[in-house]
Structure formats: structure tokens, C-alpha cells
Amino acid sequence: MITVQQVITLMEQLAPRSYAESWDNVGLMVGDRNVVVTGVVTTLDVTEETVEYAIEQNCNLIVSHHPLIFKGLKQISCDTAHGRTINKLIQHKIAVYSAHTNLDIAPGGLNDMLAKQLGLIDIKGFIKTGEEALYKVTTFVPESSADAVRLAMGDAGAGRIGNYEHCSFSIHGEGRFVGNEDSHPVIGAAGALTVVPEVQVNAIVDGTHLSKVVAAMKAAHPYEEVAYEVLNIVEPTSSTQYLGRVGRLPNALNLDSFREWVQEALPDANIRFAGIVPKAIQSIALCSGAGAEFIKDAARLHVDAYITGDVKYHEAQMAKELGLLVVDAGHFGTESIVAHGLRDYLISAGLAVPVKAFTEQNDFFFV
């Protein structure tokens, strides 16, 4: 049996919550993380149509890119589409998990999906967003309690390395202490030197789970006063996080061929061009969704074209001034691929329940 939490764990192996921007809302939006999953629907947005599809397919978990709940809710009323959607989710006991900017940033996430869809090669990060903070937590515990402390730390999020969990390293040694008259030692007596066979337990943890791990470690530890230390680990360059991607097409194209290339790769896109057309187009920067704010960054890289969505008038004017070709493939056009991308990821991760991709129609814009 697969629970909602187990699917969340798979999602956060792909897109850790710590990658999300501070203004974002990601994670479990609705539902019980302990419920057994009958099936999963992956989607860009959680709409009434998405929920109806989940009901039809007997799926009780929806994994979306755009958060179902973004800002604080003041009411849930069936007078609104959003209210009806949440009400129906609750009535049918369907959980919703959303991965937004953390999925945009994550290696293998939406921007890598978009670069792959466009056939780019030599792909690198575009806009640096930060580096993952990692810590090493070390504590000293009697041998008889070491397993309980390791388990508590691991359950709280320590020791996650790639596809492995509960990773730790231990060293056996000898602990010595003398309790004062106000102490109540678990081992030994107050005022006497006590020597205890102890285990030094070491585990790494990311910044998101650090406080939970320390609290869990203290709760499981038998000592009245817990000795421990937390060290910041300097991350290698490979841990740097980026929004968007930069790459190149296998061959240089003229504008007409490039237009056909993008349209074939992104069939849901209503493509518009702005700026200046170069003689040949091969080097590409991209950012899924609304990435017009990075037009200057793309121009500084001297790429031949920048692909994103939601480009406004003055941003198009700026692209012309900077001598950059900007391709506005639309918010929906650059992100609708996420439904199939997440479905393929969860299936390849070995999720043993049905996984269905729901791609809604872009029917709110029309010609």
C-alpha cells in the first residue's frame, strides 16, 4: 500500500521544499498524508475539471505545479469556482500536493523538462537562486539508546542522501561527566565521576529539517542534558540552484525554421516574437511561466533567443533596445508539459499505483 506521504517523499526527492522561493506556497494543500493512495493525477492547475477527472479515474491524490492555495483563504464558498473545487476535494477525500518554484528550480524539474522538450543540448543553469544549506548534526548517546536516537533523527529528516534515507555514521567512545547537586543523572549518581560507553552519532540534514531533527534528537535522548553540535557544511558547486536554463540547438536555424521548431516542441503555445531577429538562432536561454523579468540577464549572456511567457509591451520594447530576440510562448504554453513530465517521473520512480496526466485545454485565450 502506498500512502500520500510516500508520494510526497518521491516528489520532494525530485523537488525539495527548501528550493521554493520565500513567497511561494508548496506542499500538501488539502488532505491526509496517511491515507492510502488509489491513484494519482498530475496536472498544471487544480480546477473543477481536474477534480472531476480524478473522480472518474478513481484517483484520490492530485499532484499539481501551480499551488491550489496560494494566498491566505478568508472563506471557502461554493459561490466561487475555487470554493467549489476545494469543497469537492474534501467531499471526495482527494488530497492535493503542489510543487511550484521548487519544481521550477530543481534538476530534472520543469525547466529541464522544457529544455528537453525543445531539444537543447549542453544545458546549464540560468539564474542563480541560492545554494542548499547542509548541516552535520553530532550527538553523544549511551550505546543502549543509540538506535532510538538514530531512528528519531532519520524520521525527522536527517540522513537523506539521494535515494537513501536514515544515513548516519557512528563512532564508539567513552563519555565522562560529574553531575552537580541539582542534577538527576540517568546513569551514575550526582557528585560522582561517571564513565559511560557512548556512541557518537553523525548525520547530515538540510536547513528545512534542521530544527525538527534537533528537537527529535533531544526528545529521544535519555540524558537530562544533551550534548550535541551542529556544523554548517560547505556545499560543492554542483549544489547551486538555478531558475531557468541555457543551452543550444543542435543546429543553427533561421527565424522561420526556428518558429516551426518551437511550435512543434510546444504545441499548446501561442507563440509571439519581440525584439531583434539575429541572422542565425542557436544559443537559447529559457524560463518557464512568467520570466520576462530576466530579459536583461538573457541579453547579458548574448544568447540568440530567450524563450519564456507573459511578456508585456514595455518588456518587448526593452528586448528590442537590448538587441535580443524574445519568444513569448505563453505561461500555459511553456508549462503544460508538466503534467506528463510529473507522470513520467512518478512512474519511473516505481510508484505502484495508477498515475494519470491531466492536461486541461488552454480555452481561456482564443483567436
mmCIF file of all heavy atoms in Angstrom, residues 4-40:
data_model
loop_
_atom_site.group_PDB
_atom_site.id
_atom_site.type_symbol
_atom_site.label_atom_id
_atom_site.label_comp_id
_atom_site.label_asym_id
_atom_site.label_seq_id
_atom_site.Cartn_x
_atom_site.Cartn_y
_atom_site.Cartn_z
ATOM 1 N N VAL A 4 -0.178 8.780 0.873
ATOM 2 C CA VAL A 4 0.059 10.126 0.348
ATOM 3 C C VAL A 4 1.463 10.591 0.724
ATOM 4 O O VAL A 4 2.180 11.181 -0.088
ATOM 5 C CB VAL A 4 -1.009 11.106 0.875
ATOM 6 C CG1 VAL A 4 -0.631 12.552 0.551
ATOM 7 C CG2 VAL A 4 -2.380 10.777 0.290
ATOM 8 N N GLN A 5 1.885 10.314 1.959
ATOM 9 C CA GLN A 5 3.209 10.745 2.403
ATOM 10 C C GLN A 5 4.314 10.101 1.571
ATOM 11 O O GLN A 5 5.338 10.747 1.292
ATOM 12 C CB GLN A 5 3.411 10.406 3.883
ATOM 13 C CG GLN A 5 4.783 10.808 4.421
ATOM 14 C CD GLN A 5 5.081 12.287 4.229
ATOM 15 O OE1 GLN A 5 4.285 13.145 4.616
ATOM 16 N NE2 GLN A 5 6.223 12.611 3.631
ATOM 17 N N GLN A 6 4.152 8.861 1.161
ATOM 18 C CA GLN A 6 5.171 8.213 0.348
ATOM 19 C C GLN A 6 5.288 8.866 -1.028
ATOM 20 O O GLN A 6 6.390 8.984 -1.569
ATOM 21 C CB GLN A 6 4.862 6.712 0.217
ATOM 22 C CG GLN A 6 5.121 5.940 1.501
ATOM 23 C CD GLN A 6 4.649 4.499 1.434
ATOM 24 O OE1 GLN A 6 3.474 4.220 1.200
ATOM 25 N NE2 GLN A 6 5.568 3.579 1.624
ATOM 26 N N VAL A 7 4.178 9.312 -1.578
ATOM 27 C CA VAL A 7 4.225 10.040 -2.851
ATOM 28 C C VAL A 7 4.887 11.407 -2.635
ATOM 29 O O VAL A 7 5.690 11.861 -3.457
ATOM 30 C CB VAL A 7 2.811 10.212 -3.444
ATOM 31 C CG1 VAL A 7 2.880 11.000 -4.762
ATOM 32 C CG2 VAL A 7 2.161 8.864 -3.675
ATOM 33 N N ILE A 8 4.565 12.058 -1.510
ATOM 34 C CA ILE A 8 5.206 13.329 -1.188
ATOM 35 C C ILE A 8 6.712 13.153 -1.082
ATOM 36 O O ILE A 8 7.491 13.985 -1.588
ATOM 37 C CB ILE A 8 4.636 13.901 0.125
ATOM 38 C CG1 ILE A 8 3.185 14.349 -0.079
ATOM 39 C CG2 ILE A 8 5.484 15.066 0.642
ATOM 40 C CD1 ILE A 8 2.483 14.781 1.198
ATOM 41 N N THR A 9 7.153 12.074 -0.453
ATOM 42 C CA THR A 9 8.590 11.806 -0.332
ATOM 43 C C THR A 9 9.241 11.689 -1.704
ATOM 44 O O THR A 9 10.324 12.241 -1.947
ATOM 45 C CB THR A 9 8.833 10.520 0.484
ATOM 46 O OG1 THR A 9 8.310 10.690 1.802
ATOM 47 C CG2 THR A 9 10.325 10.201 0.578
ATOM 48 N N LEU A 10 8.576 11.000 -2.636
ATOM 49 C CA LEU A 10 9.103 10.890 -4.002
ATOM 50 C C LEU A 10 9.175 12.269 -4.662
ATOM 51 O O LEU A 10 10.156 12.596 -5.339
ATOM 52 C CB LEU A 10 8.220 9.966 -4.839
ATOM 53 C CG LEU A 10 8.302 8.468 -4.552
ATOM 54 C CD1 LEU A 10 7.306 7.708 -5.424
ATOM 55 C CD2 LEU A 10 9.712 7.938 -4.802
ATOM 56 N N MET A 11 8.140 13.080 -4.471
ATOM 57 C CA MET A 11 8.123 14.415 -5.066
ATOM 58 C C MET A 11 9.234 15.290 -4.489
ATOM 59 O O MET A 11 9.888 16.043 -5.219
ATOM 60 C CB MET A 11 6.764 15.081 -4.839
ATOM 61 C CG MET A 11 5.658 14.582 -5.752
ATOM 62 S SD MET A 11 6.025 14.874 -7.507
ATOM 63 C CE MET A 11 6.284 16.638 -7.507
ATOM 64 N N GLU A 12 9.486 15.166 -3.194
ATOM 65 C CA GLU A 12 10.488 16.032 -2.576
ATOM 66 C C GLU A 12 11.905 15.515 -2.777
ATOM 67 O O GLU A 12 12.864 16.237 -2.526
ATOM 68 C CB GLU A 12 10.145 16.225 -1.098
ATOM 69 C CG GLU A 12 8.860 17.035 -0.964
ATOM 70 C CD GLU A 12 8.465 17.368 0.460
ATOM 71 O OE1 GLU A 12 9.150 16.928 1.398
ATOM 72 O OE2 GLU A 12 7.451 18.091 0.627
ATOM 73 N N GLN A 13 12.039 14.284 -3.261
ATOM 74 C CA GLN A 13 13.345 13.839 -3.745
ATOM 75 C C GLN A 13 13.666 14.516 -5.067
ATOM 76 O O GLN A 13 14.825 14.837 -5.345
ATOM 77 C CB GLN A 13 13.355 12.316 -3.904
ATOM 78 C CG GLN A 13 13.397 11.563 -2.582
ATOM 79 C CD GLN A 13 13.271 10.060 -2.749
ATOM 80 O OE1 GLN A 13 13.105 9.555 -3.859
ATOM 81 N NE2 GLN A 13 13.334 9.334 -1.646
ATOM 82 N N LEU A 14 12.632 14.748 -5.878
ATOM 83 C CA LEU A 14 12.816 15.479 -7.135
ATOM 84 C C LEU A 14 12.949 16.976 -6.870
ATOM 85 O O LEU A 14 13.873 17.618 -7.391
ATOM 86 C CB LEU A 14 11.618 15.230 -8.062
ATOM 87 C CG LEU A 14 11.524 16.097 -9.326
ATOM 88 C CD1 LEU A 14 12.700 15.819 -10.257
ATOM 89 C CD2 LEU A 14 10.199 15.866 -10.043
ATOM 90 N N ALA A 15 12.046 17.530 -6.075
ATOM 91 C CA ALA A 15 11.981 18.981 -5.865
ATOM 92 C C ALA A 15 11.867 19.281 -4.372
ATOM 93 O O ALA A 15 10.758 19.450 -3.852
ATOM 94 C CB ALA A 15 10.782 19.570 -6.617
ATOM 95 N N PRO A 16 12.992 19.332 -3.649
ATOM 96 C CA PRO A 16 12.949 19.606 -2.215
ATOM 97 C C PRO A 16 12.212 20.913 -1.913
ATOM 98 O O PRO A 16 12.367 21.901 -2.632
ATOM 99 C CB PRO A 16 14.429 19.705 -1.826
ATOM 100 C CG PRO A 16 15.155 18.922 -2.879
ATOM 101 C CD PRO A 16 14.374 19.128 -4.146
ATOM 102 N N ARG A 17 11.444 20.905 -0.856
ATOM 103 C CA ARG A 17 10.684 22.112 -0.493
ATOM 104 C C ARG A 17 11.612 23.279 -0.182
ATOM 105 O O ARG A 17 11.234 24.441 -0.346
ATOM 106 C CB ARG A 17 9.788 21.823 0.706
ATOM 107 C CG ARG A 17 8.627 20.889 0.396
ATOM 108 C CD ARG A 17 7.709 20.720 1.581
ATOM 109 N NE ARG A 17 7.086 21.977 1.952
ATOM 110 C CZ ARG A 17 6.240 22.105 2.971
ATOM 111 N NH1 ARG A 17 5.951 21.068 3.722
ATOM 112 N NH2 ARG A 17 5.701 23.281 3.246
ATOM 113 N N SER A 18 12.828 22.986 0.258
ATOM 114 C CA SER A 18 13.768 24.059 0.597
ATOM 115 C C SER A 18 14.172 24.876 -0.623
ATOM 116 O O SER A 18 14.682 25.988 -0.492
ATOM 117 C CB SER A 18 15.021 23.471 1.259
ATOM 118 O OG SER A 18 15.657 22.530 0.412
ATOM 119 N N TYR A 19 13.942 24.359 -1.839
ATOM 120 C CA TYR A 19 14.266 25.097 -3.063
ATOM 121 C C TYR A 19 13.252 26.195 -3.355
ATOM 122 O O TYR A 19 13.536 27.100 -4.145
ATOM 123 C CB TYR A 19 14.288 24.148 -4.261
ATOM 124 C CG TYR A 19 15.494 23.248 -4.368
ATOM 125 C CD1 TYR A 19 16.416 23.115 -3.334
ATOM 126 C CD2 TYR A 19 15.708 22.498 -5.522
ATOM 127 C CE1 TYR A 19 17.504 22.279 -3.439
ATOM 128 C CE2 TYR A 19 16.804 21.653 -5.638
ATOM 129 C CZ TYR A 19 17.697 21.545 -4.595
ATOM 130 O OH TYR A 19 18.769 20.705 -4.706
ATOM 131 N N ALA A 20 12.069 26.119 -2.780
ATOM 132 C CA ALA A 20 10.993 27.054 -3.128
ATOM 133 C C ALA A 20 11.343 28.482 -2.716
ATOM 134 O O ALA A 20 12.025 28.714 -1.716
ATOM 135 C CB ALA A 20 9.691 26.620 -2.457
ATOM 136 N N GLU A 21 10.861 29.445 -3.496
ATOM 137 C CA GLU A 21 11.053 30.848 -3.157
ATOM 138 C C GLU A 21 10.294 31.166 -1.866
ATOM 139 O O GLU A 21 9.272 30.525 -1.547
ATOM 140 C CB GLU A 21 10.543 31.745 -4.287
ATOM 141 C CG GLU A 21 11.247 31.538 -5.624
ATOM 142 C CD GLU A 21 12.628 32.171 -5.672
ATOM 143 O OE1 GLU A 21 13.077 32.730 -4.642
ATOM 144 O OE2 GLU A 21 13.263 32.112 -6.735
ATOM 145 N N SER A 22 10.748 32.181 -1.141
ATOM 146 C CA SER A 22 10.173 32.504 0.169
ATOM 147 C C SER A 22 8.711 32.923 0.079
ATOM 148 O O SER A 22 7.938 32.723 1.013
ATOM 149 C CB SER A 22 10.990 33.614 0.837
ATOM 150 O OG SER A 22 11.003 34.784 0.020
ATOM 151 N N TRP A 23 8.289 33.489 -1.056
ATOM 152 C CA TRP A 23 6.926 33.970 -1.200
ATOM 153 C C TRP A 23 5.961 32.866 -1.640
ATOM 154 O O TRP A 23 4.743 33.065 -1.700
ATOM 155 C CB TRP A 23 6.862 35.107 -2.223
ATOM 156 C CG TRP A 23 7.585 34.818 -3.514
ATOM 157 C CD1 TRP A 23 8.849 35.197 -3.841
ATOM 158 C CD2 TRP A 23 7.095 34.066 -4.638
ATOM 159 N NE1 TRP A 23 9.184 34.739 -5.097
ATOM 160 C CE2 TRP A 23 8.130 34.042 -5.607
ATOM 161 C CE3 TRP A 23 5.898 33.409 -4.919
ATOM 162 C CZ2 TRP A 23 7.987 33.376 -6.829
ATOM 163 C CZ3 TRP A 23 5.763 32.752 -6.130
ATOM 164 C CH2 TRP A 23 6.799 32.747 -7.068
ATOM 165 N N ASP A 24 6.492 31.704 -1.951
ATOM 166 C CA ASP A 24 5.697 30.639 -2.554
ATOM 167 C C ASP A 24 4.967 29.827 -1.486
ATOM 168 O O ASP A 24 5.257 29.922 -0.291
ATOM 169 C CB ASP A 24 6.626 29.723 -3.358
ATOM 170 C CG ASP A 24 5.896 28.954 -4.439
ATOM 171 O OD1 ASP A 24 4.681 29.147 -4.593
ATOM 172 O OD2 ASP A 24 6.552 28.161 -5.137
ATOM 173 N N ASN A 25 4.004 29.024 -1.928
ATOM 174 C CA ASN A 25 3.300 28.092 -1.050
ATOM 175 C C ASN A 25 3.325 26.713 -1.691
ATOM 176 O O ASN A 25 2.663 26.494 -2.710
ATOM 177 C CB ASN A 25 1.858 28.536 -0.808
ATOM 178 C CG ASN A 25 1.152 27.649 0.202
ATOM 179 O OD1 ASN A 25 1.770 27.166 1.154
ATOM 180 N ND2 ASN A 25 -0.138 27.418 0.011
ATOM 181 N N VAL A 26 4.115 25.819 -1.150
ATOM 182 C CA VAL A 26 4.236 24.479 -1.711
ATOM 183 C C VAL A 26 3.972 23.447 -0.623
ATOM 184 O O VAL A 26 4.019 23.752 0.567
ATOM 185 C CB VAL A 26 5.640 24.245 -2.336
ATOM 186 C CG1 VAL A 26 5.920 25.251 -3.422
ATOM 187 C CG2 VAL A 26 6.734 24.297 -1.266
ATOM 188 N N GLY A 27 3.695 22.217 -1.046
ATOM 189 C CA GLY A 27 3.469 21.139 -0.088
ATOM 190 C C GLY A 27 2.047 20.606 -0.171
ATOM 191 O O GLY A 27 1.347 20.777 -1.175
ATOM 192 N N LEU A 28 1.614 19.932 0.901
ATOM 193 C CA LEU A 28 0.277 19.351 0.957
ATOM 194 C C LEU A 28 -0.744 20.453 1.184
ATOM 195 O O LEU A 28 -0.735 21.108 2.225
ATOM 196 C CB LEU A 28 0.212 18.299 2.069
ATOM 197 C CG LEU A 28 -1.091 17.501 2.178
ATOM 198 C CD1 LEU A 28 -1.321 16.660 0.927
ATOM 199 C CD2 LEU A 28 -1.077 16.618 3.420
ATOM 200 N N MET A 29 -1.620 20.662 0.218
ATOM 201 C CA MET A 29 -2.612 21.739 0.281
ATOM 202 C C MET A 29 -3.894 21.285 0.973
ATOM 203 O O MET A 29 -4.497 22.016 1.747
ATOM 204 C CB MET A 29 -2.969 22.215 -1.139
ATOM 205 C CG MET A 29 -1.797 22.715 -1.936
ATOM 206 S SD MET A 29 -1.339 24.392 -1.487
ATOM 207 C CE MET A 29 0.434 24.291 -1.565
ATOM 208 N N VAL A 30 -4.323 20.065 0.654
ATOM 209 C CA VAL A 30 -5.570 19.511 1.173
ATOM 210 C C VAL A 30 -5.346 18.024 1.390
ATOM 211 O O VAL A 30 -4.658 17.373 0.594
ATOM 212 C CB VAL A 30 -6.748 19.716 0.185
ATOM 213 C CG1 VAL A 30 -7.996 18.981 0.653
ATOM 214 C CG2 VAL A 30 -7.066 21.196 0.003
ATOM 215 N N GLY A 31 -5.911 17.464 2.459
ATOM 216 C CA GLY A 31 -5.914 16.016 2.598
ATOM 217 C C GLY A 31 -5.090 15.478 3.744
ATOM 218 O O GLY A 31 -4.440 16.218 4.479
ATOM 219 N N ASP A 32 -5.118 14.150 3.868
ATOM 220 C CA ASP A 32 -4.473 13.406 4.946
ATOM 221 C C ASP A 32 -3.275 12.666 4.370
ATOM 222 O O ASP A 32 -3.424 11.817 3.493
ATOM 223 C CB ASP A 32 -5.484 12.422 5.546
ATOM 224 C CG ASP A 32 -4.937 11.645 6.732
ATOM 225 O OD1 ASP A 32 -3.715 11.682 6.967
ATOM 226 O OD2 ASP A 32 -5.744 10.984 7.420
ATOM 227 N N ARG A 33 -2.078 12.958 4.894
ATOM 228 C CA ARG A 33 -0.868 12.346 4.361
ATOM 229 C C ARG A 33 -0.772 10.862 4.696
ATOM 230 O O ARG A 33 0.055 10.155 4.133
ATOM 231 C CB ARG A 33 0.361 13.101 4.846
ATOM 232 C CG ARG A 33 0.622 13.095 6.302
ATOM 233 C CD ARG A 33 1.842 13.952 6.685
ATOM 234 N NE ARG A 33 1.638 15.377 6.422
ATOM 235 C CZ ARG A 33 2.348 16.068 5.538
ATOM 236 N NH1 ARG A 33 3.309 15.486 4.850
ATOM 237 N NH2 ARG A 33 2.113 17.355 5.358
ATOM 238 N N ASN A 34 -1.617 10.352 5.579
ATOM 239 C CA ASN A 34 -1.563 8.944 5.964
ATOM 240 C C ASN A 34 -2.542 8.061 5.191
ATOM 241 O O ASN A 34 -2.571 6.847 5.387
ATOM 242 C CB ASN A 34 -1.836 8.803 7.463
ATOM 243 C CG ASN A 34 -0.786 9.509 8.310
ATOM 244 O OD1 ASN A 34 0.402 9.317 8.103
ATOM 245 N ND2 ASN A 34 -1.231 10.343 9.245
ATOM 246 N N VAL A 35 -3.337 8.656 4.322
ATOM 247 C CA VAL A 35 -4.330 7.904 3.540
ATOM 248 C C VAL A 35 -3.641 7.067 2.461
ATOM 249 O O VAL A 35 -2.659 7.490 1.854
ATOM 250 C CB VAL A 35 -5.348 8.878 2.912
ATOM 251 C CG1 VAL A 35 -6.150 8.217 1.801
ATOM 252 C CG2 VAL A 35 -6.276 9.418 3.983
ATOM 253 N N VAL A 36 -4.194 5.884 2.214
ATOM 254 C CA VAL A 36 -3.683 5.018 1.151
ATOM 255 C C VAL A 36 -4.119 5.573 -0.203
ATOM 256 O O VAL A 36 -5.289 5.935 -0.401
ATOM 257 C CB VAL A 36 -4.194 3.578 1.326
ATOM 258 C CG1 VAL A 36 -3.788 2.702 0.136
ATOM 259 C CG2 VAL A 36 -3.648 2.985 2.626
ATOM 260 N N VAL A 37 -3.182 5.643 -1.142
ATOM 261 C CA VAL A 37 -3.438 6.236 -2.456
ATOM 262 C C VAL A 37 -4.027 5.189 -3.410
ATOM 263 O O VAL A 37 -3.468 4.102 -3.570
ATOM 264 C CB VAL A 37 -2.143 6.821 -3.051
ATOM 265 C CG1 VAL A 37 -2.385 7.352 -4.460
ATOM 266 C CG2 VAL A 37 -1.606 7.929 -2.155
ATOM 267 N N THR A 38 -5.147 5.541 -4.045
ATOM 268 C CA THR A 38 -5.753 4.661 -5.055
ATOM 269 C C THR A 38 -5.243 4.987 -6.451
ATOM 270 O O THR A 38 -5.268 4.147 -7.350
ATOM 271 C CB THR A 38 -7.279 4.802 -5.037
ATOM 272 O OG1 THR A 38 -7.632 6.183 -5.280
ATOM 273 C CG2 THR A 38 -7.835 4.375 -3.682
ATOM 274 N N GLY A 39 -4.788 6.207 -6.651
ATOM 275 C CA GLY A 39 -4.272 6.644 -7.937
ATOM 276 C C GLY A 39 -3.886 8.106 -7.859
ATOM 277 O O GLY A 39 -4.337 8.827 -6.968
ATOM 278 N N VAL A 40 -3.031 8.538 -8.790
ATOM 279 C CA VAL A 40 -2.515 9.917 -8.790
ATOM 280 C C VAL A 40 -2.844 10.582 -10.125
ATOM 281 O O VAL A 40 -2.673 9.971 -11.191
ATOM 282 C CB VAL A 40 -0.988 9.936 -8.567
ATOM 283 C CG1 VAL A 40 -0.463 11.366 -8.574
ATOM 284 C CG2 VAL A 40 -0.622 9.237 -7.265
#
